[in-house]
């Protein structure tokens, strides 16, 4: 066909105005299908320009593209437009139930009594969705003509992140600390005998920023906290004998990330008074 067409063009025997767009497919040995498209455009000088384009398409790639295009829309979920504003979910459900099982109806609402003229209907099977589409496209409902089409799949809502489970922490109050002691020093000191230290904190004055000389050490179990209190009582730490006792809030609830649920400011104030008295 292409060869004959080119001969006619060369002889001037082909009426181009009657064939504005011609497409043909040629199959060549040992090659992918060759898609050839001829297009003719008229110029202001009443002559014609022949545009020839040839593209090869891998059949596997073409099938993949078609599959992706099909997946862009659901074969069971329909979108209904131009829905009467007074329609309810029940009205839409009863209309579509004539053609199959309605799994879900989503009606976009403007307010509590008026919808936006848009509804999404999920049917139980592709066959039922097709039946509803064929029968309800251009259907007159309360003076309005429905427009139906396939809709994209409903997006799944991301599961909310799990809240960390609260776990108890057992806190010791540590006084008579050297002013050079920092939280990492305190944690390393109490971890030196194998205790499972959750966190350590040294309390500072704000203006000027200066260590208050006391802090807190938290343990995962009451047994470890009591053992540390006995073991570290009076031990020398960076040149000073430390005093260890249960915190005023010995048991606290904290999240898995180690952050305490209760505010330590109140405890700090209470224990600072106690440290001053001691």
């Amino acid at each position: 066909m292409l060869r004959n067409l080119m001969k006619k063009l060369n002889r001037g025997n082909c009426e181009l105005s009657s064939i504005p767009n011609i497409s043909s497919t040629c199959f060549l040995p040992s090659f992918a299908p060759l898609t050839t498209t001829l297009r003719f455009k008229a110029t202001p000088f009443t002559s014609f320009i022949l545009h020839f384009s040839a593209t090869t398409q891998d059949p596997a790639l073409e099938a993949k593209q078609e599959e992706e295009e099909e997946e862009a829309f659901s074969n069971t979920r329909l979108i209904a437009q131009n829905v009467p504003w007074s329609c309810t979910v029940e009205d839409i459900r009863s209309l579509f139930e004539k053609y199959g099982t309605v799994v879900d109806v989503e009606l976009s609402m403007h307010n509590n009594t008026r919808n936006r003229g848009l509804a999404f209907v999920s049917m139980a099977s592709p066959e039922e969705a097709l039946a509803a589409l064929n029968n309800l496209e251009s259907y007159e409902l309360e003076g309005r003509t429905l427009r139906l089409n396939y809709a994209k799949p409903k997006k799944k809502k991301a599961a909310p992140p799990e809240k960390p489970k609260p776990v108890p922490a057992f806190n010791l109050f540590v006084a008579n600390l050297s002013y050079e002691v920092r939280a990492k020093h305190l944690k390393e000191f109490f971890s030196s005998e194998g205790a499972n230290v959750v966190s350590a904190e040294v309390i500072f004055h704000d203006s000027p920023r200066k260590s208050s000389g006391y802090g807190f050490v938290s343990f995962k179990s009451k047994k470890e906290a009591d053992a540390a209190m006995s073991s570290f009582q009076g031990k020398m730490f960076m040149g000073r004998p430390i005093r260890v006792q249960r915190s005023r809030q010995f048991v606290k609830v904290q999240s898995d990330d180690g952050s305490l649920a209760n505010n330590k400011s109140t405890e700090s104030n209470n224990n600072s008074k106690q440290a001053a008295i001691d």
Side-chain angles (χ1 to χ4, degrees):
M1 176 181 174
L2 183 59
R3 185 177 300 172
N4 294 334
L5 178 60
M6 297 300 294
K7 289 180 179 179
K8 289 181 180 181
L9 288 172
N10 292 332
R11 294 196 302 267
N13 296 331
C14 182
E15 184 64 34
L16 298 180
S17 60
S18 64
I19 49 172
N21 188 27
I22 299 177
S23 299
S24 64
T25 302
C26 305
F27 295 92
L28 302 179
S30 304
F31 292 97
L34 176 66
T35 302
T36 306
T37 303
L38 295 178
R39 290 187 178 86
F40 302 91
K41 295 183 179 179
T43 69
F45 304 100
T46 66
S47 60
F48 296 90
I49 300 175
L50 175 63
H51 295 272
F52 177 86
S53 64
T55 58
T56 58
Q57 178 68 61
D58 184 357
L61 180 60
E62 185 175 357
K64 183 178 180 181
Q65 290 176 346
E66 291 178 357
E67 183 180 351
E68 290 177 351
E69 290 177 359
E70 290 177 358
E71 289 178 353
F73 291 90
S74 170
N75 58 3
T76 58
R77 189 168 184 250
L78 302 173
I79 179 173
Q81 301 180 70
N82 205 32
V83 173
W85 290 336
S86 59
C87 277
T88 64
V89 171
E90 289 72 21
D91 296 332
I92 300 297
R93 182 180 295 276
S94 62
L95 178 64
F96 279 77
E97 279 180 340
K98 299 175 183 178
Y99 308 101
T101 301
V102 176
V103 177
D104 183 49
V105 177
E106 306 162 66
L107 191 59
S108 179
M109 300 299 294
H110 179 73
N111 53 40
N112 292 334
T113 59
R114 173 180 164 180
N115 68 66
R116 297 180 184 272
L118 190 67
F120 294 91
V121 182
S122 297
M123 305 297 289
S125 67
E127 293 75 18
E128 292 169 315
L130 180 60
L133 178 65
N134 290 337
N135 286 278
L136 295 178
E137 168 61 24
S138 301
Y139 180 83
E140 292 287 336
L141 181 63
E142 297 182 14
R144 304 189 72 170
T145 303
L146 297 181
R147 298 195 302 272
L148 264 70
N149 207 336
Y150 285 105
K152 291 184 178 181
K154 185 177 180 180
K155 293 183 178 180
K156 295 181 180 180
K157 293 183 178 180
E162 294 184 2
K163 294 182 178 180
K165 297 179 180 179
V167 293
F170 300 86
N171 303 288
L172 297 181
F173 174 71
V174 184
N176 201 34
L177 293 175
S178 169
Y179 293 131
E180 286 73 32
V181 172
R182 298 295 181 264
K184 65 176 183 178
H185 304 141
L186 194 58
K187 185 173 183 179
E188 291 171 357
F189 181 65
F190 276 84
S191 300
S192 60
E193 295 188 5
N196 193 353
V197 178
V198 176
S199 63
E201 181 181 3
V202 175
I203 306 303
F204 283 80
H205 294 298
D206 291 331
S207 298
R209 182 169 174 77
K210 179 182 176 183
S211 172
S212 299
Y214 66 90
F216 302 92
V217 182
S218 301
F219 298 85
K220 278 193 173 182
S221 69
K222 178 179 179 295
K223 181 179 179 180
E224 288 177 317
D226 288 341
M229 184 172 61
S230 300
S231 177
F232 287 91
Q233 186 65 257
K235 267 194 174 183
M236 296 297 294
F237 180 38
M238 294 181 72
R240 287 193 176 189
I242 61 173
R243 297 194 304 273
V244 185
Q245 62 187 57
R246 285 187 175 186
S247 167
R248 294 290 178 91
Q249 295 182 22
F250 178 58
V251 182
K252 281 189 177 182
V253 176
Q254 66 177 25
S255 61
D256 287 338
D257 60 3
S259 59
L260 294 178
N262 297 327
N263 190 349
K264 275 193 175 181
S265 60
T266 304
E267 182 183 5
S268 298
N269 292 333
N270 292 336
N271 282 292
S272 63
K273 294 178 182 178
Q274 181 178 350
I277 295 172
D278 293 342

